[in-house]
Amino acid sequence: MNQVSSISFGPYGSLYFSVKRPTFLRCSHHLHLHTTSTRAVASHIVGLPRIGPKRELKFALESFWDGKSSAEELQKAAAGLRSSIWKQLADAGIQYIPSNTFSYYDQMLDTTAMLGAVPPRYGWKHGEIGFETYFSMARGNVNVPAMEMTKWFDTNYHYIVPELGPHIRFSYASHKAVDEFKEAKALGVDTIPVLIGPVSYLLLSKPARGIEQSFPPLSLLRYILPVYKEVMAELKAAGATWVQFDEPALVLDLDANQLEAFTHTYSELESSFSGLNVLIETYFSDVTAEAYKTITSLKGVAGYGFDLVRGAKTLDLIKGGFPIGKHLFAGVVDGRNIWANDLASSVNILQALESIVGKDKIVVSTSCSLLHTAVDFENETNLDKDIKPWLAFAAQKVIEVNALAKALSGQKDEAFFTANAAAQASRKSSPRVTNEAVQKAVAALKGSDHRRPTNVSTRLDAQQKKLNLPILPTTTIGSFPQTMDLRRVRWEYKDKKISEEDYVNAMKEEINKVVKLQEELDIDVLVHGEPERNDMVEYFGEQLSGFAFTSNGWVQSYGSRCVKPPIIYGDVSRPDPMTVFWSSLAQGMTKRPMKGMLTGPVTLMNWSFVRNDQPRFETCYQIALAMKDEVEDLEKAGITVIQIDEPALREGLPLRKAEQSLYLDWAVHSFRITNCSVQDTTQIHTHMCYSNFNDIIHSIIDMDADVITIENSKSDERLLSVLPEGLKFGSGIGPGVYDVHSPRIPSDMELSVKIENIVKVLEKNIIWVNPDCGLKTRKYSEVQPALNNMVTAAKYNRKMLGIQASNR
């Protein structure tokens, strides 16, 4: 591979994913895995971003969903993205190139399709699963709701949760893995097909609707293995020599029965592996000693992949013994963050591992799929020039992997390593990273738990006297539809094509429209709709010190939904008020309570690329103090209801139970810091969505918010199942009554039944009625009738509760 040291701005050159391929990646040969020299150290990428450098997949999907393009056009756009990635990875010198990591929506949903595990409500009978069934499972349709969506381990990526039961009949119903392998091979690129491993698939599934919640999906293991065997046979026939099984569940706390499932599975599949090299890939944390012993004892497995960034303790397990003759795929390049790798440190780790497993058996890899990082910083023409050399997006991480492999092979690029060392030193010494006043303020937090002085029931009484809300009060979560016209105005203002006055007037007009709509619908507590906000994290980050921003640093959250995480590079503070102007403006348009809308410190941190040079809790406390200033200013401006969203609280929970208590302590404390000084009459709301919150419900209560709105409908009202179990809610609570991530509009009768079910579980005087989440991704043609039905249902249930009370 040619040298890249001639690039002027730092150690990284422009990289693949570009429309015009850079000269230093051009190469005429075809790549074949078996041609690697025994003296050369190989390189591997666990997985790649699939959205495209400019979100090409997002726009192709949404065009198809809107009926503006055909299935053939969507498939053509997808094929173009895949071929670009494969060819350019091959030209970059990567030996183990993944296929089947592309997805139209989600890799777990792809596996569900492969297994033919379609819930009966979607009407699929047999045959190859097409777009209609596939996207109905993901998004729902006019007749049936979508499948549940939840967080993929502790990331901001969401997966579609398989719904399984004892009567399901699995069949090989999607040949996507084989088709994409053949597609790459036709382009001259041999790939390593990637499959979600059977044990992880089942452990991440849930009982289907109508099935006892105690039903263990893992009991279906013997029924899905025949499908995997069929896939192996087809891949082998197509010419595959390696297959990668992603088994991320191995980093969880597993019991003996679950560990035995891995032993049984790969013993059962061993005969199918004949003629194939099998890689078991883990990521996101350490594996336990028991899990390490289990998987490294498996027969028929040729290699093991470990996350050595978030799973540094796994290094000790490897040093304590690694199976002779097996490949170690060493994940030393961080797939979860955007900081440049410390190449010198990584070489030291790799050399230590090489002495254990041998040069011909060590493979340099990423810690996990690069799906979780931005695509390529060559698309960032406006990124801060001082910060840019500190960073590495997916494209640059590919270069890092290859550079480390070559260095281990005795072909070290001295100029590349020197530039990397200079960037590391620059970051450590930069005065932009440290703010002494902020650090002193955080140090002063010690010694207090920052609770409000009165209990929640006393506060709710004071708030009700001021707000005078009806029973079952209605509200929404914050955002209203972001139309193309609205986005255009923001773009034009950002590009200085319109004046600030024109921009403010446009936002005023949109806010007034949203306020009037809510009044017409008779919603009780209003929101201003957030038209001025591009994203609930980026909007605040742009106004806080210590944050940097990208123009095209998009990361897939789910389906076509992409986010652009800010980069927290230094100490955080709030120079000026951020939301007071807009909230005050909106409150002046109505006599009803108007919520001030903020993103909480834990979510601001978890949904950003966080600095890795100090403990995460230090960064979170800094953000909490900044948001505390904002809360106090909103209260002074007369905003009496303030919502501080924390949808990412559960997401940041460590995967291992032994580490969870410490995280919850400082995360919950950070939330309390934001609002500890407000008056009793100021009502503090928080909102959470799209994670399994049942196991941290006590920590949610400990946040001491006055009202909690929480996703409930998309998860089949699973939240309600935990509430009766001796749990007493003192605060208000709004379990979501409809799923906002589906175009389906629920009827008022359907919503009435949902509210009735909630009333059976909770005291009626603490219940709020609201959607699952914000309405940003929906259209007004969907939002208006859905909210109208929600308010109608709430009023109906108020009336019924009044009748019941009068009959007592």
Side-chain angles (χ1 to χ4, degrees):
M1 179 169 173
N2 296 329
Q3 304 296 302
V4 297
S5 56
S6 62
I7 303 303
S8 60
F9 56 79
Y12 302 104
S14 59
L15 197 58
Y16 59 107
F17 302 118
S18 307
V19 175
K20 180 180 179 181
R21 295 169 68 187
T23 56
F24 70 87
L25 289 181
R26 291 182 187 149
C27 186
S28 60
H29 66 275
H30 288 182
L31 179 80
H32 299 281
L33 297 180
H34 61 271
T35 62
T36 302
S37 167
T38 56
R39 293 296 300 164
V41 173
S43 52
H44 168 248
I45 305 297
V46 176
L48 277 301
R50 51 207 183 212
I51 58 172
K54 300 290 180 64
R55 295 180 291 165
E56 289 87 347
L57 179 60
K58 169 189 173 66
F59 300 122
L61 282 168
E62 292 176 357
S63 175
F64 173 70
W65 293 337
D66 289 342
K68 297 176 181 177
S69 60
S70 65
E72 291 74 19
E73 288 171 305
L74 174 58
Q75 290 166 335
K76 183 178 179 181
L81 288 169
R82 290 193 297 267
S83 65
S84 174
I85 290 171
W86 290 327
K87 286 182 176 180
Q88 294 173 29
L89 279 179
D91 287 356
I94 302 300
Q95 284 77 37
Y96 295 93
I97 297 173
S99 61
N100 199 40
T101 57
F102 176 87
S103 176
Y104 287 103
Y105 207 94
D106 163 54
Q107 67 267 21
M108 282 288 285
L109 183 61
D110 293 348
T111 309
T112 294
M114 182 186 83
L115 295 169
V118 180
R121 65 182 179 274
Y122 298 109
W124 176 79
K125 300 301 181 183
H126 54 77
E128 189 81 1
I129 290 175
F131 281 158
E132 182 178 356
T133 299
Y134 181 85
F135 288 128
S136 290
M137 290 192 288
R139 306 176 70 238
N141 58 45
V142 293
N143 298 312
V144 293
M147 295 169 69
E148 180 185 353
M149 181 172 69
T150 196
K151 295 293 178 69
W152 180 245
F153 292 81
D154 58 348
T155 74
N156 189 27
Y157 179 78
H158 303 68
Y159 76 96
I160 302 298
V161 183
E163 301 175 11
L164 306 177
H167 305 301
I168 191 167
R169 295 293 178 263
F170 297 101
S171 63
Y172 188 11
S174 171
H175 294 68
K176 176 178 175 293
V178 178
D179 291 342
E180 290 188 11
F181 174 80
K182 291 178 178 178
E183 184 181 329
K185 194 172 183 65
L187 296 170
V189 182
D190 284 349
T191 61
I192 174 169
V194 179
L195 302 172
I196 297 293
V199 183
S200 290
Y201 176 80
L202 292 176
L203 289 177
L204 296 171
S205 300
K206 70 170 188 177
R209 298 180 181 190
I211 302 299
E212 286 292 330
Q213 292 303 295
S214 59
F215 172 76
L218 197 58
S219 65
L220 299 172
L221 190 56
R222 63 176 172 157
Y223 300 110
I224 70 171
L225 292 184
V227 178
Y228 277 89
K229 289 179 181 180
E230 287 187 71
V231 178
M232 293 298 101
E234 284 199 4
L235 285 172
K236 199 185 319 182
T241 56
W242 278 83
V243 177
Q244 176 178 318
F245 285 88
D246 281 7
E247 290 282 13
L250 280 161
V251 304
L252 302 175
D253 292 310
L254 301 176
D255 60 32
N257 179 60
Q258 292 166 332
L259 287 173
E260 173 58 29
F262 285 96
T263 301
H264 170 76
T265 294
Y266 289 93
S267 296
E268 181 69 20
L269 291 175
E270 185 178 351
S271 61
S272 303
F273 295 160
S274 177
L276 289 171
N277 294 292
V278 172
L279 164 64
I280 294 181
E281 183 67 50
T282 71
Y283 37 78
F284 298 150
S285 188
D286 294 291
V287 294
T288 64
E290 293 80 6
Y292 182 81
K293 181 179 179 181
T294 297
I295 62 172
T296 55
S297 300
L298 298 177
K299 297 178 180 179
V301 175
Y304 306 95
F306 297 108
D307 182 338
L308 301 181
V309 177
R310 291 183 174 237
K313 294 177 183 177
T314 302
L315 278 170
D316 294 331
L317 296 174
I318 297 170
K319 291 174 182 177
F322 190 80
I324 297 172
K326 304 293 186 182
H327 290 74
L328 171 61
F329 287 70
V332 294
V333 173
D334 192 352
R336 292 277 299 272
N337 217 326
I338 43 67
W339 302 108
N341 187 271
D342 184 340
L343 297 177
S345 176
S346 292
V347 166
N348 290 336
I349 293 171
L350 291 166
Q351 287 174 337
L353 295 172
E354 180 189 24
S355 67
I356 298 169
V357 304
K359 187 183 294 290
D360 62 331
K361 297 300 181 184
I362 190 166
V363 181
V364 181
S365 185
T366 54
S367 65
C368 63
S369 173
L370 299 178
L371 170 73
H372 308 288
T373 190
V375 177
D376 187 350
F377 73 23
E378 275 305 285
N379 299 315
E380 303 301 328
T381 56
N382 298 318
L383 190 60
D384 191 306
K385 63 180 177 62
D386 293 333
I387 295 172
K388 194 169 184 177
W390 305 346
L391 308 177
F393 292 0
Q396 289 69 46
K397 290 176 185 294
V398 172
I399 289 180
E400 288 179 335
V401 167
N402 200 51
L404 288 167
K406 286 188 171 294
L408 214 59
S409 304
Q411 303 173 45
K412 182 179 179 182
D413 184 338
E414 294 293 349
F416 186 76
F417 272 70
T418 298
N420 175 268
Q424 299 290 324
S426 167
R427 183 181 170 207
K428 288 177 181 178
S429 62
S430 173
R432 300 182 61 181
V433 172
T434 305
N435 184 322
E436 187 175 347
V438 171
Q439 294 184 354
K440 285 182 178 179
V442 170
L445 293 173
K446 295 176 181 177
S448 173
D449 61 4
H450 296 88
R451 293 183 184 275
R452 294 169 74 178
T454 52
N455 63 43
V456 67
S457 60
T458 300
R459 300 196 306 264
L460 287 173
D461 287 342
Q463 293 156 13
Q464 178 60 16
K465 289 177 183 177
K466 188 169 187 175
L467 299 173
N468 192 30
L469 298 171
I471 193 170
L472 304 180
T474 55
T475 190
T476 64
I477 302 306
S479 61
F480 265 64
Q482 296 257 328
T483 64
M484 284 305 299
D485 286 342
L486 191 56
R487 291 191 177 102
R488 177 182 51 77
V489 171
R490 286 205 308 265
W491 292 333
E492 289 177 349
Y493 177 60
K494 192 170 185 177
D495 290 343
K496 297 183 171 54
K497 294 180 179 178
I498 61 173
S499 67
E500 182 175 3
E501 181 180 2
D502 288 342
Y503 169 74
V504 171
N505 286 336
M507 294 301 108
K508 283 182 180 179
E509 183 178 341
E510 180 69 17
I511 291 170
N512 187 60
K513 181 178 78 172
V514 169
V515 171
K516 295 304 180 189
L517 173 60
Q518 292 172 92
E519 287 183 329
E520 290 169 6
L521 292 169
D522 204 17
I523 293 174
D524 299 303
V525 176
L526 311 189
V527 298
H528 77 286
E530 305 175 11
E532 78 285 5
R533 304 185 188 184
N534 47 3
D535 176 82
M536 65 182 292
V537 173
E538 185 176 14
Y539 174 79
F540 290 98
E542 286 176 338
Q543 301 179 76
L544 294 168
S545 64
F547 281 75
F549 303 91
T550 66
S551 299
N552 292 289
W554 297 100
V555 178
Q556 186 181 25
S557 181
Y558 60 86
S560 68
R561 169 75 169 146
C562 301
V563 294
K564 192 148 56 74
I567 299 165
I568 304 177
Y569 69 86
D571 292 336
V572 178
S573 62
R574 186 200 72 150
D576 299 294
M578 300 179 286
T579 66
V580 176
F581 172 79
W582 300 111
S583 292
S584 299
L585 178 74
Q587 183 63 81
M589 295 176 178
T590 182
K591 293 182 179 180
R592 302 188 184 206
M594 174 65 63
K595 286 196 283 191
M597 299 300 304
L598 305 176
T599 302
V602 183
T603 297
L604 282 170
M605 181 191 68
N606 282 337
W607 285 359
S608 297
F609 291 123
V610 187
R611 57 190 294 190
N612 59 0
D613 60 345
Q614 71 176 14
R616 291 172 72 88
F617 70 82
E618 293 278 356
T619 300
C620 199
Y621 283 153
Q622 292 177 2
I623 301 172
L625 288 172
M627 301 313 291
K628 179 175 182 287
D629 292 341
E630 187 71 12
V631 169
E632 291 171 355
D633 282 347
L634 281 169
E635 185 181 52
K636 290 174 186 175
I639 304 301
T640 56
V641 182
I642 302 172
Q643 182 169 308
I644 308 168
D645 288 345
E646 285 292 14
L649 178 75
R650 175 63 173 77
E651 175 185 313
L653 189 70
L655 299 176
R656 307 299 274 281
K657 292 178 181 177
E659 302 167 3
Q660 291 176 358
S661 177
L662 176 62
Y663 165 80
L664 289 170
D665 284 348
W666 61 255
V668 169
H669 187 190
S670 295
F671 177 85
R672 290 201 304 263
I673 288 169
T674 65
N675 61 88
C676 63
S677 61
V678 300
Q679 301 175 33
D680 284 358
T681 52
T682 298
Q683 189 168 85
I684 299 296
H685 289 222
T686 191
H687 170 67
M688 299 176 183
C689 56
Y690 303 117
S691 284
N692 181 5
F693 294 105
N694 297 8
D695 55 350
I696 63 164
I697 200 74
H698 291 282
S699 294
I700 292 173
I701 294 171
D702 197 40
M703 293 168 72
D704 199 29
D706 297 311
V707 177
I708 301 167
T709 54
I710 192 163
E711 177 267 319
N712 173 62
S713 288
K714 193 167 180 63
S715 59
D716 297 335
E717 302 183 338
R718 188 172 57 208
L719 173 70
L720 299 183
S721 67
V722 77
L723 297 180
E725 298 172 4
L727 191 63
K728 182 69 175 177
F729 253 92
S731 62
I733 180 169
V737 296
Y738 80 89
D739 173 20
V740 303
H741 290 295
S742 170
R744 180 174 175 271
I745 299 168
S747 68
D748 55 358
M749 184 59 67
E750 176 185 337
L751 295 175
S752 293
V753 172
K754 285 198 173 187
I755 295 170
E756 184 179 338
N757 289 337
I758 295 170
V759 171
K760 291 176 182 177
V761 174
L762 297 165
E763 295 289 334
K764 63 179 183 294
N765 62 325
I766 67 169
I767 297 171
W768 285 64
V769 178
N770 47 264
D772 265 355
C773 199
L775 305 170
K776 177 179 179 179
T777 61
R778 299 269 55 88
K779 300 173 183 176
Y780 274 104
S781 60
E782 299 161 345
V783 165
Q784 188 163 348
L787 290 180
N788 182 68
N789 291 346
M790 183 187 81
V791 173
T792 300
K795 289 180 177 180
Y796 173 78
N797 278 272
R798 286 175 197 158
K799 180 179 178 181
M800 296 307 295
L801 288 171
I803 292 172
Q804 292 172 13
S806 64
N807 289 337
R808 288 194 181 114

